Amino acid sequence: MSWTSEKLVLNAFIYPGGHHEAAWRHPQSEPHRVTDIKLYQEIARRAEAAKLDAIFFADAPVLDSNIRYAARHRLEPITMLAALAAVTEKIGFIATASTTYYEPYNLARLFASVDHISGGRVGWNIVTTSADAAAANFNLEKHPANADRYRQATEFVDVVTKLWDSWEDDAIVADKESGLFADTDRIHPANHKGEFYQVRGALNLPRSPQGRPVYVQAGSSEEGRGFAARYAEAIFTAHQTLESAKSFYSDIKKRVAAAGRNPAHVKILPGISPFIASTETEARKLEAEFNDLVQPAFSLAQLNRITGIDLGSADLDKPLPREAVEATRAQADSSRHQLVLDVIDRENPTIRQLLHRLAGGRGHKVIAGTPEQVADWIETWFREGAADGFNIMPPWLTGGFDIFIDEVVPLLQKRGLFRLDYKGDTLRDHYGLPRPENIYTVPAAARESA
């Protein structure tokens, strides 16, 4: 069975300074503009002119300890979305926000506000924060365990959904003659009492133009896949091989179907970080320039977070023993940990080579080639049932973004793989997703099977 979309989804995944960890050191980069909203407004206007679906911003509620070696500070993304919506008309915007360190009512109100401001162009990347250090920023002694975070996330999304749907679409009457402004029978308190939250509601905002923000999720663990099958409308994922991506794609689509949902309404979007030049040799040389700027102290700390192995005193020009990585599987980031094991099995790299593999995209696919080669790669994965589209992760800003927009997008359009113009106004329109029915107006039986 094929669930592949008719047209590619293309998001720009914008990271502070660019996705390569040493991007800020490259002569073409502009690290001083990481907190300059004009930079992101320029990117948003260019992305919209190219008809991209959305721009995505990751986030975490903690300062990265490796700020010493990389540009890892950032603007708060929900605030950014409002500033970007004001200078664009069609393109969507997706922001990360943690179910571990927000309260449902506050987050529901923030996203609902930006969804109204943008005319229905917003998505929420739902994450359970994994950084232990975040707890100390929120008056907590201890970071919640992984299983607890996913149970909390499930309840959090249920509460937020109730709040976003608390106003039926026709709740506002605004009858000047009678003096009736709102039909209060069509405004519903959440009245939620659960394991983690007690929320009265209703939200103090009506439903947005697209019903509610698009639910986005990132995570390939067993818990993450189960959560995605129940809630996600777009899934961000990382894969190094076509086979891995196809396996993940098929698994998620089957889980979505088993949950009683339409698999076509869940877009699976791997990340790719392309180095693009007029020849493959020049593209690989460009990638090498960035890798030569890597600070081993930063890269080793990142590898430690993925594998749980301290390699601070290791010889970087010797292979990383597979058995050492396998031994830390239980306590490590499961999806990225498996990705590292797969790279070791395929390539037996030295530690330095492994660091370079991870430097460009933290486990996402890094491609070096001509515009035609990058377009060929995208087309192959799309047609082979490995993806509904991609998160494009520019290695540096703005050059890595500009060349993809200028050189690759027109090729995809010429091949009939990507839109020439927007056909709707909301992010749901761009993704080909239906406007969700309000949970308070759907019959109970249908609600339980949805």
Side-chain angles (χ1 to χ4, degrees), residues 10 43 92 98 103 124 142 145 147 201 231 235 238 253 380 398 438:
L10 291 179
I43 290 172
S98 171
E103 284 292 325
W124 170 29
K142 186 179 179 181
Y231 294 108
I235 299 173
K253 297 286 185 173
T380 297
T398 61
N438 189 302

Side-chain angles (χ1 to χ4, degrees), residues 339-418:
L339 187 147
V340 169
L341 282 173
D342 291 345
V343 171
I344 292 173
D345 288 341
R346 287 195 310 273
E347 304 169 22
N348 191 32
T350 65
I351 296 173
R352 191 184 309 278
Q353 289 169 335
L354 181 59
L355 297 181
H356 288 174
R357 286 295 305 273
L358 298 173
R362 303 171 309 284
H364 291 277
K365 182 70 174 179
V366 177
I367 307 170
T370 66
E372 290 78 10
Q373 287 174 318
V374 173
D376 289 346
W377 186 94
I378 288 173
E379 181 172 5
T380 297
W381 278 45
F382 179 63
R383 294 198 185 281
E384 288 284 329
D388 295 305
F390 298 89
N391 280 326
I392 309 305
M393 303 164 57
W396 81 99
L397 298 176
T398 61
F401 169 77
D402 294 336
I403 194 168
F404 184 89
I405 292 296
D406 293 337
E407 302 290 341
V408 180
V409 170
L411 291 175
L412 298 173
Q413 291 172 325
K414 188 178 296 185
R415 298 180 189 190
L417 295 169
F418 190 61

